[in-house]
Amino acid sequence: ERSLVLNVEYIIPLFKSASAVLFFDTGNALRRDEKFSFDDLYWSSGMELRLRILNFPVPLRLILAYKNRLIEKDDSHFTLRFALGVSF
C-alpha cells in the first residue's frame, strides 16, 4: 500500500553502442499498519553492461548485483542477470 524506491546510476560511455553502469537501488513496500524504518530497506548495488544493437529498439543488459538482504534461505547475495529493455 506504500512504497519507497530510489535508484542512482553512473553511466560510463565505452563506445557508441555500449556503456558501463554503476548502480545503487534501495526501497521497500509496506502495509498501512507498518511503520517505516531505514533499517528495513532492501538494497542492491553493482555494475551493468548495456549494449545497443543496430535496428533493435531496446538495450541488451548484463547485470551483476549484490543484495544486502535475502528473501529465501537458498538465495545468494550475488546475482547475475540478462535483461532486455530499460529499468523503468
Side-chain angles (χ1 to χ4, degrees), residues 43-56:
W43 61 262
S44 67
S45 61
M47 58 186 134
E48 173 182 335
L49 178 63
R50 288 184 189 163
L51 300 171
R52 290 205 169 265
I53 297 174
L54 190 63
N55 296 328
F56 196 66

Side-chain angles (χ1 to χ4, degrees), residues 68-86:
N68 73 321
R69 296 171 66 186
L70 303 179
I71 296 172
E72 300 291 331
K73 230 189 311 187
D74 297 339
D75 286 349
S76 171
H77 284 285
F78 289 94
T79 302
L80 182 62
R81 301 249 190 252
F82 175 76
L84 292 174
V86 294

Side-chain angles (χ1 to χ4, degrees), residues 22-35:
L22 302 176
F23 66 86
F24 177 79
D25 301 326
T26 189
N28 203 348
L30 305 166
R31 293 185 305 265
R32 272 183 214 260
D33 59 340
E34 291 181 293
K35 294 203 186 274

Side-chain angles (χ1 to χ4, degrees), residues 11-21 48-52:
I11 300 172
I12 305 161
L14 300 175
F15 46 92
K16 186 175 181 177
S17 61
S19 57
V21 180
E48 173 182 335
L49 178 63
R50 288 184 189 163
L51 300 171
R52 290 205 169 265

